[in-house]
Amino acid sequence: MMETSTNTATPTGDRRPIATRSARWAQRLAAWLTTTPVTPNQISLLSAVWAMLGGALLLQGGGPAWIGAALCVQLRLVCNLLDGMVAVEGGKGSPAGALYNEIPDRVADTAFLVPLGYAAGLPWLGWAAALAAMMTAYVRTFGGALGLAQDFGGVMAKQRRMAALTVALLAQTVEHALWGTGYSLLAAVWIITAGSLLTVATRTLAIARRLEARS
């Protein structure tokens, strides 16, 4: 699932490109939600709820819990997709939409990645992964604050972090059933941390280049 959102009427350049946005099921679901009292902000908050549930399942551990956590990752991404579509295409954006668009996302990343570290046996690495993920968003929005188009790229942008986590959770389910080990989750938290730090670096360098070019 490739997501994400823009829960307010922002310029197109500050909206994350998402292939799934053009999917028929997504357009129909967003169109239906637009006709209901549900707001984009409520959808954004729901994404954090799914993340907290997924994090709890990660901490619980075991095959059914890991599969459930993977499902929560995808449901979080669906919410990230739909909140922007309902806000922008559905015309239901609000002045506070930018806050709802960003803050639940940061909560959701932390809710998944910190438990991932605990589940992998390296709690400090889970916290490091969450911090690195938050830094990717900070650098992106900082570029926007400097008047540049926000950079949603990078080897471990949000949708890729969530894709890596989903694959790891499913692989962990199979690995544990066959060998009783936990290398999939351990690999995932290392990859997400390193990839997020690399994304911070590449986005920062890109901002510096664009500022130099603008001067």
Side-chain angles (χ1 to χ4, degrees):
M1 181 70 60
M2 297 294 176
E3 36 68 65
T4 194
S5 55
T6 297
N7 187 3
T8 183
T10 58
T12 304
D14 279 347
R15 195 177 189 196
R16 187 188 303 265
I18 312 170
T20 313
R21 193 178 290 135
S22 60
R24 184 171 299 178
W25 68 265
Q27 294 179 345
R28 287 181 175 176
L29 186 53
W32 174 75
L33 285 170
T34 301
T35 66
T36 73
V38 175
T39 69
N41 297 344
Q42 291 169 338
I43 299 172
S44 297
L45 291 174
L46 181 60
S47 73
V49 173
W50 286 122
M52 288 186 278
L53 176 59
L57 290 170
L58 255 167
L59 290 174
Q60 177 181 331
W66 288 321
I67 293 173
L71 179 61
C72 287
V73 174
Q74 294 305 309
L75 289 171
R76 177 248 177 136
L77 295 180
V78 169
C79 288
N80 289 162
L81 171 70
L82 292 175
D83 63 356
M85 293 181 72
V86 173
V88 179
E89 283 84 351
K92 296 179 73 173
S94 70
L99 292 176
Y100 283 90
N101 191 51
E102 291 293 333
I103 294 176
D105 252 2
R106 305 292 77 76
V107 172
D109 275 338
T110 303
F112 275 125
L113 297 178
V114 172
L116 174 62
Y118 280 88
L122 292 177
W124 68 269
L125 192 55
W127 286 100
L131 179 60
M134 197 168 295
M135 283 296 296
T136 65
Y138 171 77
V139 172
R140 169 176 57 77
T141 55
F142 186 62
L146 293 173
L148 303 172
Q150 294 193 36
D151 182 359
F152 293 95
V155 296
M156 203 54 74
K158 181 177 71 175
Q159 68 271 29
R160 291 177 177 171
R161 289 195 299 272
M162 294 299 101
L165 179 57
T166 301
V167 170
L169 286 164
L170 297 178
Q172 178 61 46
T173 303
V174 176
E175 178 191 341
H176 189 267
L178 292 177
W179 302 291
T181 54
Y183 293 115
S184 296
L185 295 183
L186 184 61
V189 71
W190 276 112
I191 291 170
I192 290 172
T193 304
S196 296
L197 290 174
L198 181 59
T199 299
V200 170
T202 56
R203 286 183 180 180
T204 302
L205 291 172
I207 289 172
R209 285 195 297 269
R210 289 151 69 189
L211 289 174
E212 291 289 342
R214 193 173 66 177
S215 63

